[in-house]
């Protein structure tokens, strides 16, 4: 069937399966890295029951690495997705629009894949600047969409397997495994090009330009978590060097509603078989431990710091819990989320997990959680609770 005259004709040489495959595999890799690191982050932040007591607290910077990779691969996926969509968009106008039931299902799965991926990347990007202009909870939506994307992507890869195989290598000549439509398109592309060498040269410059833009967005945003690149953080919403005591702040003491009265009357209350209370002076009189651990925010910035305070392990032993316990950590915070966090036994019995009183050699700044905050190895920043006042045993 001829294409009707009201549909546009595309003469560009790079709307071809070879270019789509070349860009698609980098996009696929970015999506895979993003997915795996996202699932890791989800389980560290909200451990499933079967993981109780077994969460890994090593490597101490594990979460920093996976979270940086998550944000870096997500940002890199944006130019990759845009170029991929540009190479294939003429197929939106393919004629006839539906050839069979299988073809209709394939087109629907691609529509779902494209829509979900655009939304997912857009939401993730806005999340890095802590902007939530939608009425649904970010995490639940981001999590659900990830599985929609992976499902639709697997369908897409299965359907396109012959095309991908035929165009995986630059030199491959195979049009034999293509379906009739793809073969016609490939032939068309060659006819209009007149010269396959020109097409290859153009493709090379498109891919080089794409590589340069992926490199550029990565370089100017990765510095928020990768220290050697920190001078280049043009696009990153956070410069990890900026903030009291050399560390950024997401929620200030004022935003959390911490008052001078709260601080004057502050006590640490610890639950357990032998519950007790401590004043700040009593807490300072206990053995202090120094650790170097990163804060790794789920929004994409990370920074390592020196912390000093009392081991959670020692506080629990004093309450009659020598082997640690699962905890609910409660902050004095009045407004907003993250005032309470759960802590698995794997963390509470780890000697590096502290109720920190000092940061980089100074008493904690009010915005960093004065008088006491949690710092634990390989733990998402969002769970490093500030202004802690109670440790409840679960
Ligand atoms: N009580 C309380 N603790 C909190 C938060 C909060 O909003 N309230 N924010 C968390 C988040 S999202 C991060 S990344 C770190 C940031 O720590 P900082 O402000 O000390 O740099 O604190 C965590 N602890
Ligand atoms: Mo965070």
């Amino acid at each position: 069937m001829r294409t009707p005259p009201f549909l546009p004709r595309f003469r560009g040489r790079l709307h071809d399966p070879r270019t789509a495959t070349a860009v698609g595999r980098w996009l696929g890799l970015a999506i895979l890295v993003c997915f795996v690191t996202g699932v890791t982050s989800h389980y560290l932040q909200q451990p499933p029951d079967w993981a109780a007591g077994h969460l890994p607290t090593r490597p101490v910077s594990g979460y920093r690495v996976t979270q940086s990779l998550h944000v870096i691969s997500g940002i890199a996926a944006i130019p990759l997705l845009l170029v991929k969509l540009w190479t294939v968009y003429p197929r939106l106008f393919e004629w006839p629009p539906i050839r069979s039931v299988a073809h209709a299902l394939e087109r629907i799965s691609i529509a779902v894949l494209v829509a979900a991926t655009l939304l997912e990347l857009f939401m993730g990007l806005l999340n890095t600047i802590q902007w939530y202009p939608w009425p649904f909870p970010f995490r639940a939506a981001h999590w659900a969409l990830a599985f929609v994307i992976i499902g639709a992507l697997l369908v897409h890869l299965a359907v396109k397997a012959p095309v991908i195989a035929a165009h995986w290598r630059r030199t491959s000549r195979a049009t034999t495994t293509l379906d009739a439509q793809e073969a016609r398109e490939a032939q068309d592309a060659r006819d209009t090009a007149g010269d396959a060498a020109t097409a290859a040269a153009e493709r090379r410059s498109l891919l080089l330009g794409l590589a340069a833009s992926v490199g550029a967005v990565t370089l100017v945003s990765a510095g928020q978590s990768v220290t050697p690149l920190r001078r280049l953080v043009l696009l990153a919403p956070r410069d990890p060097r900026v903030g009291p005591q050399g560390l950024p702040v997401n929620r200030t003491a004022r935003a959390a509603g911490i008052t001078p009265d709260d601080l004057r009357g502050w006590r640490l209350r610890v639950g357990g078989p032998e519950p007790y209370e401590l004043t700040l002076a009593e807490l300072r009189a206990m053995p202090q431990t120094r650790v170097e651990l990163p804060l790794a925010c789920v929004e994409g910035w990370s920074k390592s710091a020196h912390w000093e305070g009392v081991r959670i392990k020692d506080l629990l032993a004093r309450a009659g819990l020598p082997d640690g316990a699962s905890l609910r950590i409660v902050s004095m915070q009045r407004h907003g989320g993250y005032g309470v966090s759960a802590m698995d036994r794997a963390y509470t019995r780890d000697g590096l997990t502290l109720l920190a009183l000092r940061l980089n050699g100074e008493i904690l700044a009010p915005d960093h959680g004065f008088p006491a905050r949690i710092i634990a190895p390989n733990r998402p920043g969002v769970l490093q609770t500030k202004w802690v006042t109670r440790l409840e045993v679960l």
Side-chain angles (χ1 to χ4, degrees), residues 250 297-299 301 381-382:
N250 280 0
C297 179
V298 300
E299 272 103 25
W301 61 268
V382 60

Side-chain angles (χ1 to χ4, degrees), residues 65-114:
V65 172
T66 59
Q67 194 53 22
S68 312
L69 280 175
H70 187 69
V71 174
I72 289 170
S73 56
I75 290 177
I78 295 172
L80 288 168
L81 178 63
L82 295 178
V83 170
K84 168 88 185 186
L85 289 177
W86 176 82
T87 62
V88 299
Y89 89 96
R91 308 207 69 184
L92 273 179
F93 304 96
E94 87 189 14
W95 199 262
I98 293 175
R99 281 181 271 139
S100 63
V101 174
H103 184 231
L105 289 177
E106 184 206 333
R107 298 203 80 187
I108 292 172
S109 80
I110 288 181
V112 169
L113 178 60
V114 171

Side-chain angles (χ1 to χ4, degrees), residues 48-302:
D49 289 339
W50 51 260
H54 301 291
L55 289 183
T57 60
R58 298 291 182 282
V60 297
S61 297
Y63 188 75
R64 178 181 191 170
V65 172
T66 59
Q67 194 53 22
S68 312
L69 280 175
H70 187 69
V71 174
I72 289 170
S73 56
I75 290 177
I78 295 172
L80 288 168
L81 178 63
L82 295 178
V83 170
K84 168 88 185 186
L85 289 177
W86 176 82
T87 62
V88 299
Y89 89 96
R91 308 207 69 184
L92 273 179
F93 304 96
E94 87 189 14
W95 199 262
I98 293 175
R99 281 181 271 139
S100 63
V101 174
H103 184 231
L105 289 177
E106 184 206 333
R107 298 203 80 187
I108 292 172
S109 80
I110 288 181
V112 169
L113 178 60
V114 171
T117 310
L118 282 171
L119 184 59
E120 187 79 330
L121 292 177
F122 179 67
M123 283 176 74
L125 190 65
L126 290 199
N127 182 252
T128 67
I129 52 173
Q130 298 180 31
W131 187 20
Y132 305 94
W134 40 71
F136 42 80
F138 169 79
R139 265 181 54 211
H142 205 61
W143 174 248
L145 273 178
F147 288 90
V148 172
I149 291 168
I150 289 299
L153 185 58
L154 289 177
V155 171
H156 180 59
L157 290 176
V159 169
K160 294 290 184 192
V163 186
I164 296 170
H167 295 280
W168 188 259
R169 291 169 164 283
R170 191 179 329 196
T171 51
S172 108
R173 302 281 322 128
T175 42
T176 44
T177 47
L178 303 185
D179 69 26
Q181 170 86 8
E182 313 270 15
R184 231 179 301 127
E185 269 172 29
Q187 193 53 50
D188 272 359
R190 270 196 295 278
D191 289 348
T192 20
D195 177 6
T198 328
E202 284 181 15
R203 184 174 308 115
R204 222 165 9 250
S205 39
L206 175 79
L207 295 179
L208 271 178
L210 177 57
S213 52
V214 167
V217 295
T218 303
L219 267 184
V220 297
S221 55
Q224 57 183 332
S225 49
V226 183
T227 311
L229 294 176
R230 64 183 182 271
R231 288 180 193 292
L232 296 172
V233 286
L234 290 174
L235 271 193
R238 295 286 178 160
D239 182 336
R241 294 166 296 176
V242 174
Q245 298 171 333
L247 222 61
V249 170
N250 280 0
R251 194 188 309 275
T252 60
R254 169 195 272 261
I258 309 288
T259 65
D261 271 352
D262 290 336
L263 298 179
R264 253 191 303 279
W266 186 86
R267 291 280 189 287
L268 176 72
R269 293 186 174 79
V270 183
E274 300 147 35
Y276 61 91
E277 271 188 37
L278 294 178
T279 63
L280 184 53
E282 288 168 324
L283 204 54
R284 284 181 179 149
M286 287 182 70
Q288 308 287 306
T289 302
R290 263 183 73 99
V291 299
E292 184 181 354
L293 288 177
L295 259 183
C297 179
V298 300
E299 272 103 25
W301 61 268
S302 304

Side-chain angles (χ1 to χ4, degrees), residues 329-341:
I329 293 154
V330 184
S331 153
M332 299 190 277
Q333 178 173 332
R334 291 212 169 77
H335 313 304
Y338 314 143
V340 175
S341 67

